Structure formats: C-alpha cells, structure tokens
C-alpha cells in the first residue's frame, strides 16, 4: 500500500484495557415514550429504536457522575491492571468527542486527575468514532521511536445533552418525517469511558502485541454526519453505503500485506444491528466472532471499541488474533491487529 496508509509495529504491546460505565440505564422504550406524540403524528411505529437499530438500552450519567471523572476512573483501573505507575507514563492522549469547552484540552483535566508527572506529554486527538484507535497508533509510533516508554489512551463520552436537545426538538410540530429520521442516530448514542495502557513489548512479554494496521479516507462524504451538543444530523443511507465501500476498499488493499479473514475476534465500532450486519456481510466475517455491545450500551462513540474489547478480554486466549475495526464520520476507517 502506498503512502502512510499502513503501519507495522515491532515492539509495542497493549498492557491493559479498562472501562467505566454510567450508573443510569435509559431504555429505548423510555425515549420513545417521551417521543410518543411525535411518533404518532409522523405515523412511525413504536419500537423503532429496537427494531431498526437493535438498541434496547443505553447508559447515561447519574447524579454526581461525569464523563471526565469516569475517564479518570478508567485510567486508574487500566494503570492498576498494567502494573505501570502513573509516574512512568510519558504520554496521555484523550480521544473523546465530548468536551465541556473548546480550550484547554480535555487531556489536561485528565492528566491532572490522574496525577501524571509534569514530564508526561498530553493532548487531544479528535477523529469522530476512530479517535481511540488513532490514539493507539500515535502512541505506538512514539513508543517504537523510543520517545516514550508508556502511554495512556483515555476516552470519556457524554451523550446526555445531545439526547435531551434532540428529544426536545423532535417534539416540535414543524418536524417532518425526514427531519426526524435525520436525527434518529442521536437517539442511539450512549455514555461511557475507557482507557488503555501501551508499553514496550520487550519489557512486557505478558502484553498483547500491537502488530499494526491500515487507515483509509473517503472525505468526499464529510457532510453525511455532522454533530454537536445541539444535535447530530445524518444521511443514514448514504453514510452506510459510503462507509461500507470504504471498509471493503481498505480490506482489499490490506489483503496484500495482512490476512484478516482468519482472525479470532473482530472488535468493531458499535453503531447498530444494521451497521454490524452490513460489515459482517461486506467482508465475509464469521458473525460469531463479532461481539456486540450496542444492544445494551448504544453507540458510545470512540469509547465503544475499547469498551467492547475490555468486555471480551476474559474470553481471549494467548495467541488469539484480534482485529479492531472502525468507521468514523468524515469518512475514515481504521483497522488494527493485536496478537493477544
């Protein structure tokens, strides 16, 4: 493959991955109850979220909880499980879409909350739902170059405000069926946090080797999904087609250097049943190797891949091949192989 669209790492391992979930559960029935008048007016059958997206429930932050605090908690758990002390971390990357303000970075709050040393580089990487995988790739490159020994990738997502704003807007009498469906994806979002520690493979034979992967872009589709705390507006049909074409293209080009058809577990970005089924069919994956968390957690943005990996890790065996796969608004795709 040409250019910088493929990468291999010789001495980087994933040492731990952890998640922190909100304490409040919001069912799809709860959301549709609040939208009952709009659904009736637009002649949309109830059970839409479960039937179309396969999302039964998602998590939202309870009183006294926040995405930043949860990201810190996930970071602490990842550090504890890795056996790496905070004082040894040379890099903190926050990959959250959610943020309370434009500056300073979210990373500085997490750096402080985690008690990181002054010497630890810290910054945000924002790339929609691909942020966490991109953060892992950047950290792996810095470890491989010898610039740092350890990196902590952190993510905390807060879907609460966007859902409140979306539900309020969809109840207006002037919203038609097309407008409703353009905001449907906002109703599938969930909140959550995750973190991972990366280090040198030669110092951690117990770690899980990060072998490398590919990235690919189709930025002509950058207007198909545009979001803010006010709302997320999506051309779902065009987004799905563009995303599938991009994944298939990247998969085929990668096949000259990577054999991913026999991977033991595919950790995909969690969007919906439609998205997951389409990916499985498009690149001919074994569905029993594709775990899903979206039915009970919804789409947790860039946190969904590490959350799903954290849940699956107890079922993985040494030597298993794991492929992280994601598509992010924009459009971008990334695939990263880990030798467990």
């Amino acid at each position: 493959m040409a250019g910088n669209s493929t990468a291999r790492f010789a001495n980087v391992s994933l040492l731990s991955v952890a998640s922190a979930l909100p304490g409040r559960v919001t069912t799809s029935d709860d959301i549709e109850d609040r939208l009952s008048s709009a659904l009736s007016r637009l002649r949309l059958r109830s059970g839409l979220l479960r039937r179309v997206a396969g999302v039964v429930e998602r998590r939202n932050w309870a009183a006294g909880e926040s995405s930043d605090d949860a990201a810190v908690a996930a970071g602490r758990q990842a550090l504890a499980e890795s056996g790496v002390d905070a004082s040894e971390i040379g890099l903190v990357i926050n990959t959250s879409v959610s943020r309370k303000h434009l500056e300073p970075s979210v990373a500085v709050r997490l750096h402080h909350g985690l008690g990181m040393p002054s010497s630890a580089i810290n910054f945000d990487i924002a790339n929609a739902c691909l942020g966490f995988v991109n953060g892992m790739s950047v950290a792996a490159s810095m470890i491989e170059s010898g610039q740092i020994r350890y990196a902590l990738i952190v993510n905390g997502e807060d879907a609460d405000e966007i859902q409140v704003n979306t539900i309020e807007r969809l109840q207006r009498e002037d919203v038609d069926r097309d407008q409703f469906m353009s905001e449907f994806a906002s109703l599938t979002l969930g909140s959550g946090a995750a973190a991972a520690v990366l280090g040198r493979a030669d110092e951690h034979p117990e770690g899980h080797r990060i072998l490398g992967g590919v990235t690919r872009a189709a930025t002509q589709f950058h207007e198909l999904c545009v979001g803010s705390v006010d709302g997320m507006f999506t051309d779902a049909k065009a987004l799905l087609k563009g995303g599938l074409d991009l994944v298939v293209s990247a998969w085929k080009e990668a096949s000259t250097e990577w054999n991913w058809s026999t991977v033991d577990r595919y950790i995909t970005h969690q969007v919906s049943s439609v998205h997951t089924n389409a990916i499985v069919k498009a690149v001919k994956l074994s569905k029993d190797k594709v775990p899903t968390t979206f039915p009970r957690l919804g789409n947790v943005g860039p946190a969904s891949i590490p959350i799903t990996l954290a849940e699956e890790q107890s079922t993985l065996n040494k030597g298993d091949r794991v492929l992280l796969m994601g598509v992010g608004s924009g459009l971008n795709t990334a695939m990263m192989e880990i030798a467990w």
Side-chain angles (χ1 to χ4, degrees):
M1 294 177 70
N4 61 357
S5 55
T6 188
R8 285 188 179 275
F9 303 113
N11 193 26
V12 184
S13 282
L14 172 68
L15 306 184
S16 64
V17 58
S19 64
L21 299 178
R24 181 162 59 97
V25 175
T26 304
T27 68
S28 290
D29 289 344
D30 291 337
I31 289 177
E32 291 192 12
D33 283 346
R34 283 180 270 173
L35 289 169
S36 58
S37 59
L39 291 170
S40 176
R41 179 173 57 81
L42 298 173
R43 298 181 180 179
L44 292 168
R45 283 196 298 136
S46 60
L48 189 67
L49 282 161
R50 285 182 294 169
R51 188 173 66 254
V52 175
V55 177
V56 178
E57 60 188 33
R58 76 283 295 137
R59 298 292 187 95
N60 294 105
W61 301 112
E65 298 177 340
S66 73
S67 57
D68 286 350
D69 289 346
V72 168
R76 286 177 179 157
Q77 183 180 342
L79 287 169
E81 292 179 2
S82 71
V84 177
D85 190 80
S87 64
E88 298 180 275
I89 296 293
L91 172 68
V92 179
I93 301 179
N94 166 67
T95 66
S96 309
V97 170
S98 302
R99 56 192 314 118
K100 293 181 175 65
H101 38 65
L102 292 176
E103 64 173 306
S105 69
V106 178
V108 298
R109 183 185 296 272
L110 305 183
H111 182 284
H112 174 71
L114 287 161
M116 291 293 161
S118 175
S119 56
I121 305 164
N122 60 93
F123 53 80
D124 292 352
I125 285 182
N127 194 18
C129 294
L130 280 187
F132 203 94
V133 178
N134 292 152
M136 291 177 66
S137 184
V138 169
S141 297
M142 293 177 69
I143 291 170
E144 192 100 309
S145 71
Q147 185 175 355
I148 59 171
R149 285 180 66 206
Y150 297 106
L152 177 67
I153 318 301
V154 193
N155 186 279
E157 299 300 337
D158 187 344
D160 297 15
E161 186 174 359
I162 187 174
Q163 283 186 344
V164 168
N165 292 338
T166 298
I167 291 170
E168 183 177 324
R169 184 167 45 252
L170 292 180
Q171 290 175 321
R172 292 188 335 213
E173 292 292 327
D174 60 339
V175 171
D176 61 22
R177 195 183 182 108
D178 288 340
Q179 289 173 298
F180 186 100
M181 295 310 298
S182 76
E183 297 197 56
F184 179 76
S186 300
L187 305 177
T188 69
L189 298 176
S191 300
V197 176
L198 277 60
R200 290 170 57 93
D202 59 6
E203 294 181 347
H204 293 274
E206 79 285 359
H208 315 295
R209 282 281 309 283
I210 297 177
L211 302 182
V214 301
T215 63
R216 209 160 159 79
T219 53
Q220 66 269 33
F221 299 121
H222 67 277
E223 294 184 340
L224 292 183
C225 181
V226 179
S228 70
V229 293
D230 293 325
M232 186 168 70
F233 303 88
T234 304
D235 183 337
K237 186 176 181 179
L239 188 68
L240 180 61
K241 183 182 185 307
L244 285 177
D245 289 346
L246 180 61
V247 168
V248 171
S249 174
W251 184 276
K252 286 180 177 178
E253 286 203 34
S255 65
T256 60
E257 296 189 37
W258 303 87
N259 178 17
W260 287 330
S261 61
T262 58
V263 164
D264 297 291
R265 204 72 51 90
Y266 300 93
I267 307 296
T268 62
H269 171 53
Q270 303 291 303
V271 180
S272 67
S273 54
V274 172
H275 176 272
T276 300
N277 292 338
I279 292 288
V280 166
K281 182 178 180 181
V283 290
K284 299 180 175 61
L285 305 181
S286 297
K287 197 167 184 179
D288 60 350
K289 295 182 179 180
V290 185
T292 58
T293 53
F294 67 81
R296 53 193 171 76
L297 299 180
N299 177 354
V300 199
S304 71
I305 285 179
I307 286 174
T308 304
L309 180 60
E311 292 199 357
E312 285 294 299
Q313 62 184 332
S314 64
T315 69
L316 295 170
N317 299 310
K318 187 173 179 59
D320 280 352
R321 298 174 63 203
V322 179
L323 187 66
L324 311 184
M325 301 176 63
V327 179
S329 301
L331 285 167
N332 288 293
T333 189
M335 303 173 195
M336 174 181 282
E337 183 176 348
I338 300 174
W340 205 259

